[in-house]
Amino acid sequence: EDPQLAINEINNTTTGGTVIFAKGTHTLTKNLILYDKVSIEGQGRGVTILEFGGLAAGIKYTGTLATPFSNIKLSNFTIQNSNNTAGIDMDYVANFLIESVIINSCDQKGLRIQHSQVFIIRDVISQNNTGNGYEIVGDATRTTARFFITNSYADGNGGIGFAFLGGDNNLNYFTLISCVSGTNTSDGYDFSASSGTAHDASLIECIAAGNGGVGFDVGANNQRL
């Protein structure tokens, strides 16, 4: 069955809900368009696989400035071979959790989060993607802030492992704990995109090893780490 039909049905309720994918490989040929209060759960990383076959499709949440999506959880699956802008692409979302997910061999970015607040990324692996493993973006339209990334990995990506992008004070109040960024083509962790990108950020027991660029690129742009 088309999982989008189940997603749309849940979206038509007032309480939301979770689409559960069984064990095995699920071949998908178009975007999974997700909504407010709609979550995805698999049976385990490497056990439930969402296979996009190199198509320009992936998992997308797109809220609005006036009405961000919220109360969302993505957990316990692998997504691979997406040629969308990112394997998982989230814009204008709040109060969400991404946990125990592998993002593998996507032909652009692994995980992109924009204009979003109050979220946790935990036990996530973004590997072998053509672009950045993780791309967290804030701008003057809506600050991206108040989030944690814990026990997560960026490995073998063609860009930056963990990229933090934004203008002055538009990406702030966040913490990375026990994260590892290794063998990426560019920097391990990059906070230097523009003046004051990282405002009141903390890195605790994070490791960068074997990357093609700088391990921790903070630059001279008044970052506050």
Side-chain angles (χ1 to χ4, degrees):
E1 294 184 6
D2 184 352
Q4 189 67 52
L5 297 178
I7 291 167
N8 294 344
E9 184 174 346
I10 292 171
N11 185 50
N12 289 329
T13 71
T14 58
T15 58
T18 301
V19 176
I20 298 177
F21 284 86
K23 296 178 182 179
T25 299
H26 303 264
T27 300
L28 303 170
T29 59
K30 57 186 177 181
N31 281 318
L32 289 182
I33 305 298
L34 279 298
Y35 303 100
D36 187 55
K37 301 177 186 175
V38 181
S39 300
I40 293 177
E41 181 180 342
Q43 305 305 305
R45 300 189 305 192
V47 177
T48 296
I49 299 171
L50 306 185
E51 169 63 63
F52 284 91
L55 299 175
I59 294 173
K60 289 180 65 69
Y61 286 90
T62 307
T64 66
L65 178 61
T67 311
F69 292 164
S70 64
N71 299 312
I72 290 159
K73 182 178 180 181
L74 302 176
S75 63
N76 297 309
F77 62 86
T78 293
I79 174 174
Q80 62 188 31
N81 297 317
S82 164
N83 191 19
N84 204 15
T85 303
I88 299 175
D89 201 1
M90 308 185 78
D91 198 6
Y92 292 105
V93 187
N95 299 302
F96 65 90
L97 170 65
I98 304 176
E99 181 177 43
S100 297
V101 170
I102 295 175
I103 308 164
N104 181 53
S105 297
C106 295
D107 204 28
Q108 298 193 52
K109 303 171 181 72
L111 170 63
R112 182 173 70 166
I113 296 172
Q114 304 180 88
H115 310 113
S116 297
Q117 300 179 356
V118 191
F119 59 87
I120 296 172
I121 300 168
R122 183 167 58 211
D123 299 326
V124 171
I125 299 172
S126 187
Q127 63 184 14
N128 304 322
N129 303 294
T130 301
N132 298 329
Y134 301 79
E135 187 171 292
I136 314 297
V137 184
D139 62 31
T141 307
R142 188 172 193 258
T143 300
T144 293
R146 299 187 297 281
F147 61 89
F148 288 88
I149 305 176
T150 67
N151 196 39
S152 293
Y153 297 80
D155 181 67
N157 297 289
I160 299 164
F162 292 84
F164 299 89
L165 310 177
D168 288 352
N169 301 327
N170 291 319
L171 187 68
N172 49 48
Y173 305 113
F174 63 94
T175 301
L176 277 66
I177 304 172
S178 300
C179 292
V180 177
S181 187
T183 68
N184 301 288
T185 299
S186 189
D187 298 337
Y189 304 81
D190 194 327
F191 302 90
S192 65
S194 60
S195 177
T197 296
H199 182 285
D200 292 314
S202 299
L203 278 70
I204 302 170
E205 296 184 346
C206 292
I207 297 170
N211 297 289
V214 178
F216 295 85
D217 190 350
V218 177
N221 294 320
N222 301 314
Q223 318 295 337
R224 287 167 50 180
L225 299 180

